[in-house]
Amino acid sequence: MAKYLVTGVAGFIGRSIAAELLKRGETVRGIDNFITGKRANLVGLEAMEFIEGDLAYPSACAKACEGVEIVFHEAALASVPRSVADPVGTNTNCVTATLNLLVAARDAGVRRVVYAGSSSAYGDTPTLPKDESMLPNPISPYAVAKLAGEHYMRSFAQVYDIETVVLRYFNVFGPHQDPASQYSGVLAIFCRKMLAGEQPSIYGDGEQSRDFTYIDNVVRANLLAASAPAEKVNGQVMNTATGSRITLNDTFRILRELIGYRGEPNYLPPRSGDIRDSLADIRLAGELLGYQPIVDFREGLQRTVDWYRNQ
Ligand code: UD1
């Protein structure tokens, strides 16, 4: 019987958490519906019990949660522009799926659910850095859906006998992130294109900034959130980031150097639903989890480029 369940395990973040758990000798079950997850991401996770299933169906959630102690809920239909194109799909795969999973987890006696929140919850307020006491101001349907999931987490921690912890991820990147979709994260797209000698596009003037967070930091935060004492973390929301930010233009310049790309970016009009600047205050996760970033942006980018180069 698996101790841990990872939802969205064929996605980039889910597979990274599962891989670390297996490395530590833990028993893991994973579930994915392959809407955006990739079978290739399951390579190396053969020791895991895998269920192909969709969290939009309560029966799949019940099967996934059976006998489990801790859930890492990474499944989602990520992407701001995808949610602008398909708000209902985003709601089904983020909100309905999360509620179904929580109900199943409660009924199965799961002890704790750790949830992948999103920095998009903060919206485009000018105050930086973003800290958890700020009033959320979601702009895109994606941000609304991820925030609704956060509220369900906090609600369940208060009204039922289940612990929940929310980690608000800031622009996660690293190996295994899908670079091939128009909805992929910007660093995955840039790596793929520039390694192939193709010109990347920048939406807007490129002076928008992000707190890009290398995947190992996110995996670390999740493991800390799973093991931290309930009196400290139950019902809490914590930023998961590096606490520093960089513009897309500067990111492009670093990547150009790492990859040896010679061209310039193609500047296009700004993207609808985009926010300008994003930077996390990471002190709360430091206090409650002992979280500190372990891999900085440049080192993470180097490792990411190396990984895509070898694909
Ligand atoms: C948002 C969330 C993030 C969430 C992610 C899920 C914020 C601050 N962040 O990321 O927490 O995990 O959605 O998808 O809300 N861009 C280009 N060229 C490209 C692709 C993107 O210039 O080819 C630009 C975008 O317009 C944006 C920036 O790069 O300004 C980052 O885009 P993306 O990687 O999609 O992430 P966010 O929308 O910031």
Side-chain angles (χ1 to χ4, degrees):
M1 195 67 85
K3 178 176 172 189
Y4 294 94
L5 169 68
V6 181
T7 72
V9 78
F12 142 67
I13 300 176
R15 80 88 56 202
S16 304
I17 293 172
E20 182 61 27
L21 289 170
L22 292 173
K23 205 167 114 191
R24 294 176 180 214
E26 300 289 357
T27 49
V28 185
R29 180 183 297 150
I31 184 166
D32 207 289
N33 59 9
F34 296 115
I35 293 182
T36 54
K38 299 276 176 283
R39 285 181 199 276
N41 281 339
L42 301 179
V43 173
L45 305 182
E46 289 75 15
M48 174 183 79
E49 176 193 345
F50 177 70
I51 299 174
E52 181 168 352
D54 192 326
L55 304 180
Y57 297 94
S59 56
C61 294
K63 199 172 154 194
C65 287
E66 200 192 334
V68 161
E69 185 187 337
I70 308 269
V71 176
F72 295 100
H73 180 35
E74 311 306 309
L77 204 52
S79 164
V80 168
R82 187 200 301 271
S83 78
V84 174
D86 178 17
V88 174
T90 294
N91 191 80
T92 303
N93 290 285
C94 295
V95 187
T96 305
T98 296
L99 180 56
N100 286 344
L101 178 75
L102 276 170
V103 168
R106 178 202 65 188
D107 293 350
V110 166
R111 183 164 65 79
R112 181 173 297 181
V113 180
V114 181
Y115 173 74
S118 168
S119 61
S120 58
Y122 290 109
D124 210 4
T125 48
T127 316
L128 294 177
K130 312 289 187 195
D131 78 57
E132 298 84 349
S133 69
M134 290 174 179
L135 199 60
N137 184 29
I139 296 173
S140 63
Y142 173 73
V144 171
K146 290 303 292 184
L147 182 61
E150 286 192 12
H151 288 314
Y152 275 125
M153 289 292 150
R154 300 189 76 182
S155 165
F156 271 59
Q158 290 175 82
V159 303
Y160 302 115
D161 183 22
I162 185 167
E163 300 163 10
T164 64
V165 185
V166 173
L167 299 176
R168 265 188 197 159
Y169 301 163
F170 280 64
N171 290 73
V172 189
F173 74 100
H176 299 282
Q177 189 170 31
D178 177 15
S181 157
Q182 57 166 320
Y183 299 128
S184 295
V186 66
L187 297 186
I189 294 175
F190 277 16
C191 284
R192 175 180 64 81
K193 288 203 165 171
M194 291 163 79
L195 282 165
E198 292 169 23
Q199 186 182 36
S201 296
I202 290 185
Y203 301 118
D205 63 4
E207 287 303 300
Q208 65 265 52
S209 61
R210 294 290 184 272
D211 190 334
F212 287 112
T213 307
Y214 186 65
I215 181 67
D216 286 18
N217 300 316
V218 172
V219 171
R220 170 125 188 93
N222 272 278
L223 296 182
L224 290 169
S227 60
E231 28 328 339
K232 271 192 145 173
V233 299
N234 186 21
Q236 295 282 352
V237 175
M238 284 164 270
N239 289 340
T240 302
T242 69
S244 57
R245 71 188 165 113
I246 183 161
T247 65
L248 270 192
N249 285 330
D250 284 342
T251 303
F252 170 80
R253 282 191 275 273
I254 296 175
L255 272 177
R256 184 162 57 183
E257 191 187 303
L258 291 177
I259 290 173
Y261 177 80
R262 292 184 190 283
E264 293 296 328
N266 174 32
Y267 287 92
L268 295 175
R271 203 169 72 174
S272 161
D274 241 20
I275 68 145
R276 183 76 180 167
D277 296 307
S278 179
L279 170 68
D281 183 327
I282 55 171
R283 282 177 299 176
L284 188 62
E287 275 164 40
L288 300 181
L289 300 178
Y291 166 81
Q292 288 295 330
I294 45 178
V295 179
D296 69 17
F297 176 68
R298 220 190 148 96
E299 169 65 20
L301 207 51
Q302 176 72 64
R303 291 189 200 177
T304 305
V305 167
D306 291 346
W307 188 83
Y308 284 118
R309 211 193 287 276
N310 289 328
Q311 291 310 296

